[in-house]
Amino acid sequence: MSTCIVSTETIGEKLRSIRKDKELTLRKVASLLDIDFAILSKMERGERRITKEVVLKLADIYKYDAEALLVLFLSDKILFEIQDEDLGIEALKVAEERAKFVKANKKK
Amino acid sequence: MSTCIVSTETIGEKLRSIRKDKELTLRKVASLLDIDFAILSKMERGERRITKEVVLKLADIYKYDAEALLVLFLSDKILFEIQDEDLGIEALKVAEERAKFVKANKKK
DNA sequence: ATACATGTTGACATAATGTGTCAAAATTAG
DNA sequence: CTAATTTTGACACATTATGTCAACATGTAT
């Protein structure tokens, strides 16, 4: 059996597992974020949308790689858009080409 | 100068150019779609969200490759999610790996 | 120029969705 | 058991999306 490179975790699940590792409670972290702990609970379980700002604050609170969390956060949003579309992967490739094109042509 | 493979057109712009090629009016196409022509106008210009259903109906009306339009439609939505994020392209790659993983592991 | 077809824009009411707050119920740990 | 933690749902409110419509602008032909 090989180690799985691709994470099957959503950003919410990832944030939860990090919080557990740090042995922090929802109440504690939520208070640091200045939000209701019920909302954080729902964010971790994918019932409420997570914002970029929350991800960055949690990266800071948990002392965790912010870029890695942001990439997971963004890929979550991307995957949500293609859901179970048969053409999802092809659309991802086209999107990547278009993104590269935009990046290469944008002025500083 | 080389031909550009990557389309810089949005799905709306593409649908408009197809309609122009077919020499159809907003009013005519909108009536076939059973929607107000003002909405179709806004969809073509990116002011209103386009649904998958509308894309498929237009592919039928225009006798245009539905898959190609769907891929453009989906890539539009994907690009909207990553907007001008620095980590956008990396997130796209991660999303693609995750999508492939899901596809490979899903039961029939 | 008028007359007519086409396309754009904004206002408006309504529908749908998202958000914060809270409390009760459920779960877990000691 | 008690206590801490988490989950769930209800609710009011805000934000956003949607359909309808009319006014305005543009273009074309005669």
Side-chain angles (χ1 to χ4, degrees), chain A residues 42-99:
Chain A
K42 289 171 182 173
M43 285 178 172
E44 288 183 345
R45 288 173 298 107
E47 262 188 63
R48 285 281 171 121
R49 209 170 273 180
I50 304 179
T51 65
K52 182 182 176 183
E53 289 64 38
V54 165
V55 172
L56 293 177
K57 282 184 186 173
L58 288 176
D60 186 56
I61 291 169
Y62 297 150
K63 306 286 179 242
Y64 199 95
D65 182 359
E67 285 204 356
L69 291 181
L70 268 186
V71 168
L72 184 57
F73 166 69
L74 291 173
S75 67
D76 252 35
K77 297 209 296 177
I78 292 167
L79 288 176
F80 179 78
E81 289 302 320
I82 62 175
Q83 300 248 89
D84 38 30
E85 291 282 347
D86 293 333
L87 299 170
I89 290 173
E90 197 177 337
L92 281 169
K93 289 174 182 168
V94 170
E96 188 174 335
E97 290 308 308
R98 290 173 68 189

Coordinates of all heavy atoms in Angstrom, one line a residue, chain A residues 42-99:
Chain A
K42 N -20.1 24.4 12.1 CA -20.7 24.2 10.8 C -19.7 24.4 9.6 O -19.8 23.7 8.6 CB -21.9 25.1 10.6 CG -23.1 24.7 11.4 CD -24.2 25.7 11.4 CE -25.4 25.2 12.3 NZ -26.4 26.2 12.5
M43 N -18.8 25.3 9.8 CA -17.8 25.5 8.8 C -16.9 24.2 8.7 O -16.6 23.8 7.6 CB -16.9 26.7 9.2 CG -17.5 28.0 8.9 SD -16.4 29.4 9.4 CE -17.3 30.8 8.8
E44 N -16.5 23.7 9.8 CA -15.7 22.5 9.8 C -16.4 21.3 9.1 O -15.8 20.4 8.5 CB -15.2 22.1 11.2 CG -14.2 23.1 11.8 CD -13.7 22.6 13.2 OE1 -14.4 21.7 13.8 OE2 -12.7 23.1 13.6
R45 N -17.7 21.3 9.3 CA -18.5 20.2 8.7 C -19.1 20.5 7.3 O -19.9 19.7 6.8 CB -19.5 19.7 9.7 CG -18.9 19.0 10.9 CD -20.0 18.7 11.9 NE -20.5 19.9 12.5 CZ -21.8 20.3 12.2 NH1 -22.6 19.6 11.4 NH2 -22.2 21.4 12.7
G46 N -18.7 21.7 6.8 CA -19.2 22.0 5.4 C -20.6 22.5 5.3 O -21.2 22.6 4.3
E47 N -21.2 22.9 6.5 CA -22.5 23.4 6.5 C -22.6 24.9 6.3 O -23.6 25.4 5.9 CB -23.2 23.0 7.8 CG -24.1 21.7 7.7 CD -24.9 21.6 9.0 OE1 -25.7 22.4 9.3 OE2 -24.6 20.6 9.7
R48 N -21.5 25.5 6.6 CA -21.4 27.0 6.3 C -20.2 27.3 5.5 O -19.2 26.6 5.6 CB -21.3 27.7 7.7 CG -22.6 27.8 8.5 CD -23.5 28.9 7.9 NE -24.8 28.8 8.6 CZ -25.4 29.8 9.3 NH1 -24.7 30.9 9.4 NH2 -26.5 29.6 9.8
R49 N -20.3 28.3 4.6 CA -19.2 28.7 3.8 C -18.1 29.2 4.7 O -18.3 29.9 5.6 CB -19.7 29.7 2.8 CG -19.0 29.8 1.5 CD -19.7 30.7 0.5 NE -20.8 30.0 -0.2 CZ -21.5 30.6 -1.1 NH1 -21.4 31.9 -1.4 NH2 -22.4 29.9 -1.8
I50 N -16.9 28.8 4.3 CA -15.7 29.4 5.0 C -15.2 30.5 4.1 O -15.2 30.4 2.9 CB -14.6 28.3 5.1 CG1 -15.2 27.1 5.9 CG2 -13.4 28.9 5.9 CD1 -14.2 26.0 6.1
T51 N -14.8 31.6 4.7 CA -14.2 32.7 4.0 C -12.7 32.6 4.0 O -12.1 32.0 4.8 CB -14.6 34.1 4.6 OG1 -14.1 34.2 5.9 CG2 -16.1 34.2 4.7
K52 N -12.1 33.3 3.0 CA -10.6 33.4 2.9 C -10.1 33.9 4.2 O -9.0 33.5 4.7 CB -10.3 34.2 1.7 CG -8.8 34.4 1.5 CD -8.5 35.3 0.3 CE -7.0 35.5 0.0 NZ -6.8 36.4 -1.1
E53 N -10.7 34.9 4.7 CA -10.3 35.6 5.9 C -10.2 34.6 7.1 O -9.2 34.7 7.9 CB -11.2 36.8 6.3 CG -11.1 38.0 5.3 CD -11.5 37.7 3.9 OE1 -12.5 36.9 3.7 OE2 -10.8 38.1 3.0
V54 N -11.2 33.8 7.3 CA -11.2 32.8 8.4 C -10.1 31.8 8.2 O -9.4 31.5 9.2 CB -12.6 32.1 8.4 CG1 -12.5 30.9 9.3 CG2 -13.7 33.1 9.0
V55 N -9.9 31.4 7.0 CA -8.8 30.5 6.7 C -7.4 31.1 7.1 O -6.6 30.4 7.8 CB -8.7 30.1 5.2 CG1 -7.5 29.3 4.9 CG2 -10.0 29.3 4.8
L56 N -7.2 32.3 6.8 CA -6.0 33.0 7.1 C -5.8 33.2 8.6 O -4.7 33.0 9.2 CB -5.9 34.3 6.4 CG -5.7 34.2 4.8 CD1 -5.7 35.6 4.2 CD2 -4.5 33.4 4.5
K57 N -6.9 33.5 9.3 CA -6.9 33.7 10.7 C -6.6 32.4 11.4 O -5.8 32.3 12.4 CB -8.2 34.3 11.2 CG -8.4 35.8 11.0 CD -9.7 36.2 11.6 CE -10.1 37.7 11.3 NZ -11.4 38.0 11.8
L58 N -7.2 31.3 10.9 CA -7.0 30.0 11.5 C -5.5 29.5 11.3 O -4.9 28.9 12.1 CB -8.0 29.0 11.0 CG -9.4 29.2 11.5 CD1 -10.3 28.2 10.8 CD2 -9.4 29.0 13.0
A59 N -5.0 29.8 10.1 CA -3.6 29.5 9.8 C -2.7 30.2 10.9 O -1.7 29.6 11.4 CB -3.2 29.9 8.4
D60 N -3.1 31.4 11.2 CA -2.3 32.1 12.2 C -2.5 31.5 13.6 O -1.5 31.3 14.3 CB -2.7 33.6 12.2 CG -1.9 34.5 13.1 OD1 -0.6 34.5 12.9 OD2 -2.4 35.1 14.0
I61 N -3.7 31.3 13.9 CA -4.0 30.7 15.2 C -3.3 29.3 15.4 O -2.7 29.1 16.5 CB -5.5 30.6 15.4 CG1 -6.2 32.0 15.6 CG2 -5.9 29.7 16.7 CD1 -7.7 31.9 15.5
Y62 N -3.4 28.5 14.4 CA -2.8 27.2 14.5 C -1.4 27.1 14.1 O -0.7 26.0 14.2 CB -3.6 26.2 13.5 CG -5.1 26.1 13.8 CD1 -6.0 25.8 12.8 CD2 -5.6 26.1 15.1 CE1 -7.3 25.6 13.1 CE2 -6.9 26.0 15.4 CZ -7.8 25.7 14.4 OH -9.1 25.6 14.6
K63 N -0.8 28.3 13.7 CA 0.6 28.3 13.2 C 0.8 27.2 12.1 O 1.7 26.4 12.2 CB 1.6 28.0 14.4 CG 1.4 28.9 15.6 CD 1.9 30.3 15.3 CE 1.7 31.3 16.5 NZ 0.8 32.4 16.1
Y64 N -0.1 27.3 11.2 CA -0.1 26.3 10.1 C 0.1 27.0 8.8 O -0.3 28.1 8.6 CB -1.4 25.5 10.1 CG -1.4 24.2 9.3 CD1 -1.2 23.0 10.0 CD2 -1.5 24.2 8.0 CE1 -1.1 21.8 9.3 CE2 -1.5 23.0 7.3 CZ -1.3 21.8 8.0 OH -1.2 20.6 7.3
D65 N 0.8 26.3 7.9 CA 1.1 26.8 6.5 C -0.1 27.5 5.8 O -1.0 26.8 5.4 CB 1.7 25.7 5.7 CG 2.0 26.2 4.3 OD1 1.9 27.4 4.0 OD2 2.5 25.3 3.5
A66 N -0.1 28.8 5.8 CA -1.3 29.5 5.2 C -1.5 29.2 3.8 O -2.7 29.0 3.3 CB -1.1 31.0 5.4
E67 N -0.4 29.1 3.0 CA -0.6 28.8 1.6 C -1.2 27.5 1.3 O -2.1 27.3 0.5 CB 0.8 28.9 0.9 CG 1.2 30.3 0.7 CD 2.2 30.5 -0.5 OE1 2.5 29.5 -1.1 OE2 2.6 31.6 -0.8
A68 N -0.8 26.5 2.1 CA -1.4 25.1 1.9 C -2.9 25.1 2.2 O -3.6 24.5 1.5 CB -0.6 24.2 2.8
L69 N -3.2 25.8 3.2 CA -4.7 25.9 3.6 C -5.4 26.7 2.5 O -6.6 26.3 2.1 CB -4.9 26.6 4.9 CG -4.4 25.7 6.1 CD1 -4.7 26.5 7.4 CD2 -5.1 24.4 6.2
L70 N -4.8 27.8 2.0 CA -5.5 28.5 1.0 C -5.7 27.7 -0.3 O -6.8 27.8 -0.9 CB -4.7 29.8 0.7 CG -5.1 31.1 1.4 CD1 -4.3 32.3 0.9 CD2 -6.6 31.3 1.4
V71 N -4.7 27.0 -0.7 CA -4.8 26.1 -1.9 C -5.9 25.1 -1.7 O -6.8 24.9 -2.6 CB -3.5 25.4 -2.2 CG1 -3.7 24.3 -3.2 CG2 -2.5 26.5 -2.7
L72 N -6.0 24.5 -0.5 CA -7.0 23.5 -0.2 C -8.4 24.2 -0.2 O -9.4 23.7 -0.8 CB -6.8 22.9 1.1 CG -7.8 21.8 1.5 CD1 -7.8 20.6 0.5 CD2 -7.4 21.2 2.9
F73 N -8.5 25.4 0.3 CA -9.7 26.2 0.4 C -10.2 26.5 -1.0 O -11.4 26.3 -1.4 CB -9.4 27.5 1.2 CG -10.5 28.5 1.0 CD1 -11.7 28.4 1.6 CD2 -10.2 29.7 0.3 CE1 -12.7 29.4 1.4 CE2 -11.1 30.7 0.2 CZ -12.4 30.6 0.7
L74 N -9.3 27.0 -1.9 CA -9.6 27.3 -3.3 C -10.0 26.1 -4.1 O -11.0 26.1 -4.8 CB -8.5 28.0 -3.9 CG -8.2 29.4 -3.4 CD1 -6.9 30.0 -4.1 CD2 -9.3 30.4 -3.7
S75 N -9.3 25.0 -3.9 CA -9.6 23.8 -4.6 C -10.9 23.2 -4.2 O -11.7 22.6 -5.0 CB -8.5 22.7 -4.5 OG -8.4 22.2 -3.2
D76 N -11.3 23.4 -3.0 CA -12.6 23.1 -2.5 C -13.7 23.8 -3.3 O -14.7 23.2 -3.8 CB -12.8 23.4 -1.0 CG -12.8 22.2 -0.1 OD1 -12.1 21.2 -0.5 OD2 -13.5 22.2 0.9
K77 N -13.5 25.1 -3.4 CA -14.5 25.9 -4.1 C -14.6 25.5 -5.6 O -15.6 25.5 -6.2 CB -14.1 27.4 -4.0 CG -14.2 27.9 -2.6 CD -14.5 29.4 -2.5 CE -13.5 30.3 -3.1 NZ -13.9 31.7 -3.0
I78 N -13.4 25.2 -6.2 CA -13.4 24.8 -7.6 C -14.1 23.5 -7.7 O -14.9 23.3 -8.6 CB -11.9 24.6 -8.0 CG1 -11.2 26.0 -8.1 CG2 -11.9 23.9 -9.4 CD1 -9.7 25.9 -8.2
L79 N -13.8 22.5 -6.9 CA -14.5 21.2 -7.0 C -16.0 21.3 -6.8 O -16.8 20.6 -7.4 CB -13.9 20.2 -5.9 CG -12.5 19.7 -6.3 CD1 -12.0 18.9 -5.1 CD2 -12.5 19.0 -7.6
F80 N -16.4 22.3 -6.0 CA -17.8 22.5 -5.8 C -18.5 22.9 -7.1 O -19.6 22.5 -7.4 CB -18.1 23.5 -4.7 CG -19.5 23.8 -4.4 CD1 -20.3 23.0 -3.7 CD2 -20.1 24.9 -5.0 CE1 -21.7 23.2 -3.5 CE2 -21.5 25.2 -4.8 CZ -22.2 24.3 -4.0
E81 N -17.8 23.7 -7.8 CA -18.4 24.2 -9.1 C -18.6 23.1 -10.1 O -19.5 23.1 -10.9 CB -17.5 25.3 -9.7 CG -17.5 26.6 -9.0 CD -18.9 27.2 -8.9 OE1 -19.6 27.1 -9.9 OE2 -19.2 27.7 -7.8
I82 N -17.6 22.1 -10.2 CA -17.8 21.1 -11.2 C -18.5 19.8 -10.6 O -18.9 18.9 -11.4 CB -16.4 20.6 -11.7 CG1 -15.5 20.1 -10.6 CG2 -15.7 21.8 -12.4 CD1 -14.2 19.6 -11.2
Q83 N -18.7 19.8 -9.3 CA -19.4 18.8 -8.6 C -19.2 17.4 -9.3 O -18.1 16.9 -9.2 CB -20.9 19.1 -8.6 CG -21.2 20.4 -7.9 CD -22.0 20.2 -6.7 OE1 -21.4 20.0 -5.6 NE2 -23.3 20.2 -6.8
D84 N -20.2 16.9 -9.9 CA -20.1 15.5 -10.5 C -20.3 15.6 -12.0 O -20.9 14.8 -12.6 CB -21.1 14.6 -9.9 CG -22.4 15.2 -9.6 OD1 -22.8 16.2 -10.3 OD2 -23.0 14.8 -8.6
E85 N -19.8 16.7 -12.6 CA -19.9 16.9 -14.0 C -19.0 16.0 -14.7 O -17.8 15.9 -14.3 CB -19.6 18.4 -14.4 CG -20.6 19.4 -13.9 CD -21.8 19.5 -14.8 OE1 -21.7 18.9 -15.9 OE2 -22.8 20.1 -14.4
D86 N -19.5 15.4 -15.8 CA -18.6 14.5 -16.5 C -17.4 15.3 -17.2 O -16.3 14.7 -17.3 CB -19.4 13.8 -17.6 CG -20.4 12.8 -17.1 OD1 -20.2 12.3 -16.0 OD2 -21.5 12.6 -17.7
L87 N -17.7 16.5 -17.5 CA -16.7 17.3 -18.2 C -15.9 18.1 -17.2 O -15.1 19.0 -17.6 CB -17.4 18.2 -19.2 CG -18.2 17.5 -20.3 CD1 -19.0 18.6 -21.1 CD2 -17.2 16.8 -21.2
G88 N -16.0 17.8 -15.9 CA -15.3 18.6 -14.9 C -13.8 18.6 -15.1 O -13.2 19.7 -15.1
I89 N -13.2 17.5 -15.4 CA -11.7 17.5 -15.5 C -11.2 18.2 -16.7 O -10.3 19.0 -16.7 CB -11.2 16.0 -15.5 CG1 -11.4 15.4 -14.0 CG2 -9.7 16.0 -15.9 CD1 -11.0 14.0 -13.9
E90 N -12.0 18.1 -17.8 CA -11.7 18.8 -19.0 C -11.8 20.3 -18.8 O -11.0 21.1 -19.2 CB -12.6 18.4 -20.2 CG -12.0 18.7 -21.5 CD -12.9 18.2 -22.7 OE1 -13.6 17.2 -22.5 OE2 -12.8 18.8 -23.8
A91 N -12.9 20.7 -18.1 CA -13.1 22.1 -17.8 C -11.9 22.6 -16.9 O -11.5 23.8 -17.1 CB -14.4 22.3 -17.0
L92 N -11.4 21.8 -16.0 CA -10.3 22.2 -15.2 C -9.1 22.5 -16.0 O -8.4 23.5 -15.8 CB -10.0 21.1 -14.1 CG -10.9 21.1 -12.9 CD1 -10.6 19.8 -12.1 CD2 -10.6 22.3 -12.1
K93 N -8.8 21.6 -17.0 CA -7.7 21.8 -17.9 C -7.8 23.1 -18.7 O -6.9 23.9 -18.8 CB -7.5 20.6 -18.8 CG -7.0 19.4 -18.1 CD -7.0 18.2 -19.0 CE -6.6 16.9 -18.2 NZ -6.8 15.7 -19.0
V94 N -9.0 23.3 -19.2 CA -9.3 24.6 -20.0 C -9.1 25.8 -19.1 O -8.5 26.8 -19.4 CB -10.7 24.5 -20.6 CG1 -11.0 25.9 -21.2 CG2 -10.8 23.5 -21.7
A95 N -9.6 25.7 -17.8 CA -9.5 26.8 -16.9 C -8.1 27.1 -16.6 O -7.7 28.3 -16.5 CB -10.3 26.5 -15.6
E96 N -7.3 26.0 -16.5 CA -5.8 26.2 -16.2 C -5.1 26.9 -17.3 O -4.4 27.9 -17.1 CB -5.2 24.9 -15.9 CG -3.8 25.0 -15.4 CD -3.1 23.7 -15.0 OE1 -3.9 22.8 -14.6 OE2 -1.9 23.6 -15.0
E97 N -5.5 26.5 -18.5 CA -4.9 27.2 -19.7 C -5.3 28.6 -19.8 O -4.4 29.5 -20.0 CB -5.3 26.5 -21.0 CG -4.7 25.1 -21.2 CD -3.1 25.1 -21.0 OE1 -2.5 25.9 -21.7 OE2 -2.6 24.3 -20.2
R98 N -6.5 28.9 -19.5 CA -7.0 30.3 -19.5 C -6.4 31.1 -18.4 O -6.0 32.3 -18.6 CB -8.5 30.3 -19.4 CG -9.2 29.7 -20.6 CD -10.7 29.6 -20.4 NE -11.4 30.9 -20.3 CZ -12.7 31.1 -20.0 NH1 -13.4 30.1 -19.6 NH2 -13.2 32.3 -19.9
A99 N -6.2 30.5 -17.2 CA -5.6 31.2 -16.1 C -4.2 31.6 -16.4 O -3.7 32.7 -16.1 CB -5.7 30.4 -14.8

